[in-house]
Amino acid sequence: HTVAARPTDPSACALDAPTAAFFDEIGFVPDAFWDHFAHRFLLRSSCVTTCATVQPKAGSRFAAFLAHAENDPEAFRVIRTDFAA
């Protein structure tokens, strides 16, 4: 996985206070990436964060987060699509 950040240290990226963040295939990133980088953006109410992925593996950390997000519509909007028509 690659982090595009300014400055070059990803841990300082959240301090740049971006207004938006987009993570593709977030369901398959290492736990350390989620814990130390991606999740920080969800904690900031001033940052619109999009996490896109296919259905994560059952029992995975992101599957648990997704279940939590679906039960908290005040904080999260979960959009599911099923292309198996």
Coordinates of all heavy atoms in Angstrom, one line a residue:
H1 N 0.8 -1.2 0.0 CA 0.0 0.0 0.0 C 0.9 1.2 0.0 O 1.9 1.3 0.6 CB -0.9 0.0 1.2 CG -1.9 -1.1 1.2 ND1 -1.5 -2.4 1.5 CD2 -3.2 -1.2 0.8 CE1 -2.5 -3.2 1.3 NE2 -3.6 -2.5 1.0
T2 N 0.4 2.3 -0.7 CA 1.2 3.5 -0.8 C 0.4 4.6 -0.2 O -0.8 4.7 -0.4 CB 1.5 3.8 -2.3 OG1 2.2 2.7 -2.9 CG2 2.3 5.1 -2.4
V3 N 1.1 5.4 0.6 CA 0.5 6.6 1.2 C 1.1 7.8 0.5 O 2.3 8.0 0.5 CB 0.8 6.7 2.7 CG1 0.2 8.0 3.3 CG2 0.2 5.5 3.4
A4 N 0.2 8.6 0.0 CA 0.6 9.9 -0.6 C 0.3 11.0 0.4 O -0.8 11.2 0.8 CB -0.2 10.2 -1.9
A5 N 1.4 11.6 1.0 CA 1.2 12.5 2.1 C 2.1 13.7 1.9 O 3.2 13.6 1.4 CB 1.5 11.8 3.4
R6 N 1.7 14.8 2.5 CA 2.5 16.0 2.5 C 2.5 16.5 4.0 O 1.4 16.7 4.5 CB 1.9 17.1 1.6 CG 2.8 18.3 1.6 CD 2.1 19.4 0.8 NE 0.8 19.7 1.3 CZ 0.5 20.5 2.3 NH1 1.5 21.1 3.0 NH2 -0.7 20.8 2.6
P7 N 3.5 16.5 4.7 CA 4.9 16.1 4.3 C 5.0 14.6 4.1 O 4.1 13.9 4.2 CB 5.7 16.6 5.5 CG 4.8 16.6 6.6 CD 3.4 16.9 6.1
T8 N 6.2 14.2 3.8 CA 6.4 12.8 3.4 C 6.2 11.8 4.5 O 6.1 10.6 4.2 CB 7.8 12.6 2.8 OG1 8.8 13.0 3.8 CG2 8.0 13.4 1.5
D9 N 6.0 12.2 5.7 CA 5.8 11.3 6.8 C 4.3 11.1 7.0 O 3.6 12.1 7.3 CB 6.4 11.9 8.1 CG 6.1 11.0 9.3 OD1 5.6 9.9 9.2 OD2 6.4 11.5 10.5
P10 N 3.7 10.0 6.7 CA 2.3 9.7 6.8 C 1.7 10.1 8.1 O 0.5 10.5 8.2 CB 2.1 8.3 6.5 CG 3.3 7.9 5.7 CD 4.4 8.8 6.2
S11 N 2.4 9.9 9.2 CA 1.9 10.2 10.5 C 1.6 11.6 10.7 O 0.8 12.0 11.6 CB 2.8 9.7 11.6 OG 4.0 10.4 11.6
A12 N 2.2 12.5 9.9 CA 2.0 13.9 10.1 C 0.8 14.4 9.1 O 0.4 15.6 9.2 CB 3.2 14.7 9.8
C13 N 0.3 13.6 8.3 CA -0.6 13.9 7.3 C -1.9 14.5 7.9 O -2.5 15.5 7.4 CB -1.0 12.8 6.3 SG -2.1 13.2 5.0
A14 N -2.4 13.8 9.0 CA -3.6 14.3 9.6 C -3.5 15.7 10.2 O -4.5 16.4 10.3 CB -4.0 13.3 10.7
L15 N -2.3 16.1 10.5 CA -2.1 17.4 11.0 C -2.2 18.5 9.9 O -2.4 19.7 10.2 CB -0.7 17.5 11.6 CG -0.5 16.6 12.8 CD1 1.0 16.7 13.3 CD2 -1.4 16.9 14.0
D16 N -2.2 18.1 8.7 CA -2.4 19.0 7.6 C -3.9 19.4 7.5 O -4.2 20.3 6.8 CB -2.0 18.4 6.2 CG -0.5 18.4 6.0 OD1 0.2 19.1 6.7 OD2 -0.1 17.7 5.1
A17 N -4.7 18.7 8.2 CA -6.2 19.0 8.3 C -6.8 19.0 6.9 O -7.5 19.9 6.6 CB -6.4 20.3 9.0
P18 N -6.7 17.9 6.2 CA -7.4 17.8 4.9 C -8.9 17.8 5.2 O -9.4 17.3 6.2 CB -6.9 16.5 4.3 CG -6.5 15.7 5.5 CD -6.0 16.7 6.5
T19 N -9.7 18.3 4.2 CA -11.1 18.3 4.3 C -11.7 17.0 3.8 O -12.9 16.7 4.0 CB -11.7 19.4 3.6 OG1 -11.3 19.4 2.2 CG2 -11.3 20.8 4.2
A20 N -10.9 16.1 3.1 CA -11.4 14.9 2.6 C -10.3 13.9 2.5 O -9.1 14.2 2.3 CB -12.0 15.1 1.2
A21 N -10.7 12.6 2.7 CA -9.7 11.5 2.5 C -10.5 10.4 1.8 O -11.6 10.1 2.0 CB -9.2 11.0 3.8
F22 N -9.8 9.6 0.9 CA -10.4 8.5 0.2 C -9.4 7.3 0.3 O -8.3 7.4 0.0 CB -10.6 8.9 -1.3 CG -11.2 7.8 -2.1 CD1 -12.6 7.8 -2.2 CD2 -10.5 6.8 -2.7 CE1 -13.3 6.8 -2.9 CE2 -11.2 5.8 -3.4 CZ -12.5 5.8 -3.5
F23 N -10.0 6.2 0.8 CA -9.2 5.0 0.9 C -9.9 3.9 0.0 O -11.1 3.6 0.3 CB -9.2 4.5 2.4 CG -8.5 5.5 3.2 CD1 -9.2 6.4 4.0 CD2 -7.1 5.6 3.3 CE1 -8.6 7.3 4.8 CE2 -6.5 6.5 4.1 CZ -7.2 7.4 4.9
D24 N -9.2 3.4 -0.9 CA -9.7 2.4 -1.8 C -9.2 1.0 -1.3 O -8.1 0.8 -0.8 CB -9.2 2.6 -3.2 CG -9.9 1.7 -4.3 OD1 -11.0 1.2 -4.0 OD2 -9.3 1.4 -5.3
E25 N -10.1 0.0 -1.4 CA -9.9 -1.3 -0.9 C -9.4 -1.3 0.6 O -8.5 -2.1 1.0 CB -8.9 -2.1 -1.7 CG -9.4 -2.3 -3.1 CD -10.6 -3.2 -3.2 OE1 -11.0 -3.8 -2.2 OE2 -11.3 -3.2 -4.3
I26 N -10.1 -0.5 1.4 CA -9.7 -0.3 2.8 C -9.9 -1.6 3.6 O -9.3 -1.8 4.6 CB -10.5 0.8 3.4 CG1 -9.9 1.3 4.8 CG2 -12.0 0.5 3.6 CD1 -8.6 1.9 4.7
G27 N -10.8 -2.5 3.1 CA -11.1 -3.8 3.8 C -9.9 -4.7 3.8 O -9.9 -5.7 4.5
F28 N -8.9 -4.4 3.0 CA -7.8 -5.3 2.9 C -6.4 -4.7 3.3 O -5.4 -5.3 3.0 CB -7.7 -5.9 1.4 CG -9.0 -6.6 1.1 CD1 -10.0 -5.9 0.5 CD2 -9.2 -7.9 1.5 CE1 -11.2 -6.5 0.2 CE2 -10.4 -8.5 1.2 CZ -11.4 -7.8 0.5
V29 N -6.4 -3.6 3.9 CA -5.2 -3.0 4.3 C -4.7 -3.6 5.6 O -5.5 -4.1 6.4 CB -5.3 -1.4 4.5 CG1 -5.7 -0.8 3.2 CG2 -6.2 -1.1 5.6
P30 N -3.4 -3.6 5.9 CA -2.9 -4.2 7.2 C -3.5 -3.4 8.4 O -3.8 -2.2 8.3 CB -1.4 -3.9 7.1 CG -1.1 -3.8 5.7 CD -2.3 -3.1 5.1
D31 N -3.7 -4.1 9.5 CA -4.2 -3.5 10.7 C -3.5 -2.3 11.1 O -4.0 -1.3 11.6 CB -4.3 -4.5 11.8 CG -5.4 -5.6 11.7 OD1 -6.2 -5.4 10.8 OD2 -5.3 -6.6 12.4
A32 N -2.1 -2.3 11.0 CA -1.3 -1.2 11.4 C -1.6 0.0 10.6 O -1.7 1.2 11.1 CB 0.2 -1.5 11.3
F33 N -1.9 -0.1 9.3 CA -2.3 1.0 8.4 C -3.6 1.6 8.9 O -3.7 2.8 9.0 CB -2.4 0.6 7.0 CG -2.8 1.7 6.0 CD1 -1.8 2.6 5.6 CD2 -4.1 1.9 5.7 CE1 -2.2 3.6 4.7 CE2 -4.5 2.9 4.8 CZ -3.5 3.8 4.3
W34 N -4.6 0.8 9.2 CA -5.9 1.2 9.7 C -5.7 2.0 11.0 O -6.2 3.1 11.2 CB -6.8 0.0 9.8 CG -8.1 0.4 10.5 CD1 -8.5 0.2 11.8 CD2 -9.2 1.1 9.8 NE1 -9.8 0.6 12.0 CE2 -10.2 1.2 10.8 CE3 -9.4 1.6 8.6 CZ2 -11.4 1.8 10.5 CZ3 -10.7 2.1 8.3 CH2 -11.7 2.3 9.3
D35 N -5.0 1.3 12.0 CA -4.8 1.9 13.3 C -4.1 3.2 13.4 O -4.4 4.1 14.1 CB -4.1 0.9 14.2 CG -5.0 -0.3 14.6 OD1 -6.2 -0.3 14.4 OD2 -4.4 -1.4 14.9
H36 N -3.0 3.3 12.6 CA -2.1 4.4 12.7 C -2.3 5.5 11.7 O -1.6 6.5 11.8 CB -0.6 3.9 12.7 CG -0.4 2.9 13.8 ND1 -0.4 3.3 15.2 CD2 -0.1 1.6 13.8 CE1 -0.1 2.2 15.9 NE2 0.1 1.2 15.1
F37 N -3.2 5.2 10.7 CA -3.3 6.3 9.7 C -4.8 6.5 9.3 O -5.4 7.5 9.6 CB -2.5 5.9 8.4 CG -2.5 7.0 7.4 CD1 -1.8 8.1 7.6 CD2 -3.2 6.8 6.2 CE1 -1.8 9.2 6.6 CE2 -3.2 7.8 5.3 CZ -2.5 9.0 5.5
A38 N -5.4 5.5 8.7 CA -6.7 5.7 8.1 C -7.8 6.0 9.2 O -8.6 6.9 9.0 CB -7.2 4.4 7.3
H39 N -7.8 5.3 10.3 CA -8.9 5.5 11.3 C -8.8 6.9 11.8 O -9.9 7.5 12.3 CB -8.7 4.5 12.4 CG -9.9 4.5 13.3 ND1 -9.8 4.8 14.6 CD2 -11.2 4.1 13.1 CE1 -11.0 4.7 15.2 NE2 -11.8 4.3 14.3
R40 N -7.7 7.6 11.9 CA -7.6 8.9 12.4 C -8.5 9.9 11.6 O -9.0 10.9 12.2 CB -6.1 9.4 12.3 CG -5.2 8.7 13.2 CD -3.8 9.2 13.1 NE -2.9 8.4 13.9 CZ -1.6 8.7 14.1 NH1 -1.1 9.8 13.6 NH2 -0.9 7.9 14.8
F41 N -8.7 9.7 10.4 CA -9.5 10.6 9.6 C -11.0 10.5 10.0 O -11.7 11.4 9.9 CB -9.3 10.4 8.1 CG -7.9 10.8 7.6 CD1 -6.9 9.9 7.6 CD2 -7.7 12.1 7.2 CE1 -5.6 10.3 7.1 CE2 -6.5 12.5 6.8 CZ -5.4 11.6 6.7
L42 N -11.4 9.3 10.3 CA -12.8 9.1 10.7 C -13.1 9.7 12.1 O -14.2 10.0 12.4 CB -13.1 7.6 10.8 CG -13.1 6.8 9.5 CD1 -13.1 5.3 9.8 CD2 -14.2 7.3 8.6
L43 N -12.1 10.0 12.8 CA -12.3 10.6 14.2 C -12.4 12.1 14.1 O -12.8 12.7 15.1 CB -11.1 10.2 15.1 CG -10.9 8.7 15.3 CD1 -9.6 8.5 16.2 CD2 -12.1 8.1 16.0
R44 N -12.1 12.7 12.9 CA -12.2 14.1 12.8 C -13.5 14.5 12.1 O -13.8 14.1 10.9 CB -11.0 14.6 11.9 CG -9.7 14.4 12.7 CD -8.5 15.1 11.9 NE -8.9 16.3 11.3 CZ -8.8 16.5 10.0 NH1 -8.3 15.5 9.2 NH2 -9.1 17.6 9.4
S45 N -14.4 15.2 12.8 CA -15.7 15.6 12.2 C -15.5 16.6 11.0 O -16.4 16.7 10.2 CB -16.6 16.2 13.3 OG -16.0 17.4 13.8
S46 N -14.4 17.2 10.9 CA -14.2 18.2 9.8 C -13.7 17.5 8.5 O -13.5 18.2 7.5 CB -13.3 19.3 10.2 OG -12.0 18.8 10.5
C47 N -13.5 16.2 8.5 CA -12.9 15.5 7.4 C -14.0 14.5 6.8 O -14.4 13.7 7.6 CB -11.7 14.8 7.7 SG -10.9 14.0 6.4
V48 N -14.3 14.7 5.6 CA -15.2 13.7 4.9 C -14.3 12.6 4.5 O -13.4 12.8 3.7 CB -16.0 14.3 3.7 CG1 -16.8 13.3 3.0 CG2 -16.8 15.5 4.2
T49 N -14.6 11.4 5.0 CA -13.8 10.2 4.7 C -14.6 9.2 3.9 O -15.7 8.8 4.4 CB -13.2 9.6 6.0 OG1 -12.5 10.6 6.7 CG2 -12.2 8.5 5.7
T50 N -14.1 8.7 2.8 CA -14.7 7.7 2.0 C -13.8 6.4 2.1 O -12.6 6.5 1.8 CB -14.9 8.1 0.6 OG1 -15.7 9.3 0.5 CG2 -15.5 7.0 -0.3
C51 N -14.4 5.3 2.5 CA -13.7 4.0 2.5 C -14.4 3.1 1.5 O -15.6 2.7 1.8 CB -13.8 3.4 3.9 SG -12.9 4.4 5.2
A52 N -13.8 2.8 0.4 CA -14.4 1.9 -0.6 C -13.7 0.5 -0.5 O -12.5 0.4 -0.4 CB -14.2 2.5 -1.9
T53 N -14.5 -0.5 -0.7 CA -14.0 -1.8 -0.7 C -15.1 -2.8 -1.2 O -16.2 -2.5 -1.1 CB -13.5 -2.3 0.7 OG1 -12.8 -3.5 0.6 CG2 -14.6 -2.4 1.7
V54 N -14.6 -4.0 -1.6 CA -15.6 -5.1 -1.8 C -15.9 -5.6 -0.4 O -15.3 -5.2 0.6 CB -15.0 -6.1 -2.8 CG1 -14.8 -5.5 -4.1 CG2 -13.7 -6.7 -2.2
Q55 N -16.8 -6.6 -0.4 CA -17.2 -7.2 0.9 C -15.9 -7.7 1.6 O -15.2 -8.5 1.1 CB -18.2 -8.3 0.7 CG -18.7 -8.9 2.0 CD -19.6 -7.9 2.8 OE1 -20.2 -7.1 2.2 NE2 -19.5 -8.0 4.1
P56 N -15.6 -7.2 2.8 CA -14.4 -7.7 3.5 C -14.6 -9.1 4.1 O -15.7 -9.6 4.2 CB -14.3 -6.7 4.7 CG -15.6 -6.1 4.9 CD -16.3 -6.1 3.6
K57 N -13.5 -9.7 4.3 CA -13.5 -11.1 4.8 C -14.3 -11.1 6.2 O -14.1 -10.3 7.0 CB -12.1 -11.6 5.0 CG -12.0 -13.0 5.5 CD -10.5 -13.4 5.6 CE -10.4 -14.8 6.2 NZ -9.0 -15.2 6.3
A58 N -15.2 -12.1 6.3 CA -15.9 -12.2 7.6 C -15.0 -12.4 8.7 O -14.0 -13.1 8.7 CB -16.9 -13.4 7.5
G59 N -15.3 -11.7 9.8 CA -14.4 -11.8 11.0 C -13.3 -10.8 11.0 O -12.5 -10.8 12.0
S60 N -13.0 -10.1 9.9 CA -11.9 -9.2 9.8 C -12.2 -7.9 10.6 O -13.3 -7.7 11.0 CB -11.6 -8.8 8.4 OG -12.6 -8.0 7.9
R61 N -11.2 -7.2 10.9 CA -11.3 -6.0 11.7 C -12.2 -5.0 10.9 O -13.1 -4.3 11.5 CB -10.0 -5.3 11.9 CG -10.1 -4.0 12.6 CD -8.7 -3.4 12.8 NE -8.1 -4.2 13.9 CZ -7.3 -3.7 14.7 NH1 -6.9 -2.5 14.7 NH2 -6.7 -4.5 15.7
F62 N -12.1 -4.9 9.6 CA -12.9 -3.9 8.9 C -14.4 -4.4 8.8 O -15.3 -3.6 8.8 CB -12.4 -3.7 7.5 CG -13.0 -2.5 6.8 CD1 -12.7 -1.2 7.3 CD2 -14.0 -2.6 5.9 CE1 -13.4 -0.1 6.7 CE2 -14.6 -1.5 5.3 CZ -14.3 -0.2 5.7
A63 N -14.6 -5.7 8.8 CA -16.0 -6.2 8.8 C -16.6 -5.8 10.1 O -17.8 -5.5 10.1 CB -16.0 -7.8 8.6
A64 N -15.9 -5.9 11.2 CA -16.4 -5.5 12.5 C -16.7 -4.0 12.5 O -17.8 -3.5 13.0 CB -15.5 -5.8 13.6
F65 N -15.8 -3.2 11.9 CA -16.1 -1.7 11.8 C -17.3 -1.4 11.0 O -18.1 -0.6 11.3 CB -14.8 -1.0 11.2 CG -15.1 0.4 10.9 CD1 -15.2 1.4 11.9 CD2 -15.4 0.8 9.6 CE1 -15.5 2.7 11.6 CE2 -15.7 2.1 9.3 CZ -15.7 3.0 10.3
L66 N -17.4 -2.2 9.9 CA -18.6 -2.0 9.0 C -19.9 -2.3 9.7 O -20.9 -1.5 9.6 CB -18.4 -2.8 7.8 CG -19.4 -2.6 6.6 CD1 -19.4 -1.2 6.1 CD2 -19.1 -3.6 5.5
A67 N -19.9 -3.3 10.5 CA -21.1 -3.7 11.3 C -21.4 -2.5 12.3 O -22.6 -2.1 12.4 CB -20.9 -5.0 12.0
H68 N -20.4 -2.0 12.9 CA -20.6 -0.8 13.8 C -21.1 0.4 13.1 O -22.1 1.0 13.5 CB -19.3 -0.5 14.5 CG -19.3 0.8 15.2 ND1 -19.9 1.0 16.4 CD2 -18.8 2.0 14.8 CE1 -19.8 2.3 16.7 NE2 -19.1 2.9 15.8
A69 N -20.6 0.6 11.9 CA -21.0 1.8 11.1 C -22.4 1.7 10.7 O -23.2 2.7 10.7 CB -20.0 2.0 9.9
E70 N -22.9 0.5 10.3 CA -24.2 0.3 9.9 C -25.2 0.6 11.0 O -26.4 0.9 10.8 CB -24.4 -1.0 9.3 CG -23.7 -1.2 7.9 CD -23.9 -2.5 7.3 OE1 -23.7 -3.5 8.0 OE2 -24.1 -2.6 6.1
N71 N -24.8 0.4 12.2 CA -25.7 0.6 13.4 C -25.6 2.0 14.0 O -26.1 2.3 15.0 CB -25.3 -0.4 14.5 CG -25.8 -1.8 14.1 OD1 -26.9 -2.0 13.5 ND2 -24.9 -2.8 14.3
D72 N -24.8 2.9 13.3 CA -24.7 4.3 13.8 C -24.9 5.3 12.6 O -24.0 5.9 12.2 CB -23.3 4.5 14.4 CG -23.1 5.8 15.1 OD1 -24.1 6.6 15.1 OD2 -22.0 6.0 15.6
P73 N -26.2 5.3 12.2 CA -26.5 6.2 11.0 C -26.2 7.7 11.2 O -26.2 8.4 10.3 CB -27.9 5.9 10.7 CG -28.5 5.4 11.9 CD -27.4 4.7 12.7
E74 N -26.1 8.1 12.5 CA -25.9 9.5 12.8 C -24.4 9.9 12.4 O -24.2 11.0 12.0 CB -26.1 9.8 14.2 CG -27.6 9.7 14.7 CD -28.4 10.7 14.0 OE1 -28.0 11.9 13.9 OE2 -29.6 10.4 13.6
A75 N -23.6 8.9 12.5 CA -22.1 9.2 12.3 C -21.6 8.7 10.9 O -20.7 9.2 10.4 CB -21.3 8.6 13.4
F76 N -22.3 7.6 10.4 CA -21.8 7.0 9.2 C -22.9 6.7 8.2 O -24.0 6.5 8.5 CB -21.2 5.6 9.5 CG -20.0 5.6 10.5 CD1 -20.3 5.3 11.8 CD2 -18.8 6.0 10.1 CE1 -19.2 5.3 12.7 CE2 -17.7 6.0 11.0 CZ -18.0 5.7 12.3
R77 N -22.5 6.8 6.9 CA -23.5 6.4 5.8 C -22.8 5.3 5.1 O -21.8 5.4 4.5 CB -23.7 7.6 4.9 CG -24.7 7.2 3.8 CD -25.1 8.4 3.0 NE -24.3 9.6 3.1 CZ -24.3 10.5 2.2 NH1 -25.0 10.5 1.2 NH2 -23.5 11.6 2.4
V78 N -23.4 4.1 5.2 CA -22.9 2.9 4.5 C -23.8 2.7 3.3 O -25.0 2.6 3.3 CB -23.0 1.7 5.5 CG1 -22.5 0.4 4.7 CG2 -22.2 1.9 6.7
I79 N -23.1 2.6 2.1 CA -23.8 2.3 0.9 C -23.3 1.0 0.4 O -22.1 0.8 0.1 CB -23.5 3.4 -0.1 CG1 -23.9 4.8 0.4 CG2 -24.1 3.1 -1.5 CD1 -23.4 6.0 -0.4
R80 N -24.2 0.1 0.2 CA -23.9 -1.3 -0.3 C -24.4 -1.4 -1.7 O -25.5 -1.0 -2.0 CB -24.4 -2.4 0.6 CG -23.8 -2.5 2.0 CD -24.4 -3.7 2.7 NE -23.7 -3.9 3.9 CZ -22.6 -4.7 4.1 NH1 -22.2 -5.4 3.1 NH2 -22.1 -4.8 5.3
T81 N -23.6 -2.0 -2.5 CA -24.1 -2.3 -3.9 C -23.9 -3.8 -4.1 O -23.0 -4.4 -3.6 CB -23.3 -1.5 -4.9 OG1 -21.9 -1.8 -4.8 CG2 -23.5 0.0 -4.8
D82 N -24.8 -4.4 -4.9 CA -24.7 -5.8 -5.3 C -24.8 -5.8 -6.8 O -25.9 -5.6 -7.4 CB -25.9 -6.6 -4.6 CG -25.8 -8.0 -4.9 OD1 -24.8 -8.5 -5.5 OD2 -26.7 -8.8 -4.5
F83 N -23.7 -6.1 -7.4 CA -23.7 -6.1 -8.8 C -24.0 -7.5 -9.4 O -23.9 -7.7 -10.6 CB -22.3 -5.7 -9.3 CG -22.0 -4.2 -9.0 CD1 -21.1 -3.9 -8.0 CD2 -22.7 -3.2 -9.6 CE1 -20.9 -2.6 -7.7 CE2 -22.5 -1.9 -9.3 CZ -21.6 -1.6 -8.3
A84 N -24.3 -8.5 -8.6 CA -24.6 -9.8 -9.0 C -26.1 -9.9 -9.4 O -27.0 -10.3 -8.6 CB -24.3 -10.8 -7.9
A85 N -26.4 -9.4 -10.5 CA -27.9 -9.3 -11.0 C -28.3 -10.5 -11.7 O -27.6 -11.2 -12.3 CB -28.0 -8.0 -11.8

